[in-house]
Amino acid sequence: MAETGHLRPRRNWGARILYGLAALCFVLWIVGYIWIASLACAFGSVNATSCGIPSIGSLGREDFLFLVAIPWSLILTLFFLGVVASRRGSAARR
């Protein structure tokens, strides 16, 4: 039986899954941020003449926490777990 370990490296599926989840969460964060901003425009003040998507810097403390800090901590955690899984996988192959 021939050994194919040197010809085809093992793929690190754990790292790929974590990177994919981080990318998916990033896309969902963008869509959710725009959706929540549009809901705020729709149900906001009646006298508002111009309503747009607020920049991250113009958010209040509580809005920043729920719309930016918590989602980004999840995204970065998934990304760094992918980095750790990738490095463990490459160390296991040696």
Side-chain angles (χ1 to χ4, degrees):
M1 187 175 252
E3 210 179 299
T4 60
H6 298 292
L7 299 177
R8 291 179 53 190
R10 291 178 25 199
R11 295 186 178 157
N12 193 351
W13 289 105
R16 289 181 182 205
I17 289 172
L18 288 169
Y19 288 143
L21 283 174
L24 177 67
C25 287
F26 178 71
V27 170
L28 288 176
W29 175 74
I30 291 173
V31 171
Y33 187 81
I34 294 171
W35 181 58
I36 289 172
S38 64
L39 283 177
C41 285
F43 296 109
S45 175
V46 177
N47 296 329
T49 56
S50 65
C51 191
I53 298 172
S55 68
I56 292 173
S58 67
L59 294 174
R61 175 185 266 169
E62 192 172 285
D63 291 337
F64 180 81
L65 178 68
F66 288 115
L67 295 177
V68 178
I70 292 174
W72 270 97
S73 64
L74 172 69
I75 292 168
L76 290 176
T77 300
L78 287 171
F79 179 76
F80 286 122
L81 284 175
V83 169
V84 169
S86 161
R87 290 191 180 183
R88 282 191 177 188
S90 66
R93 280 185 242 144
R94 290 183 189 160

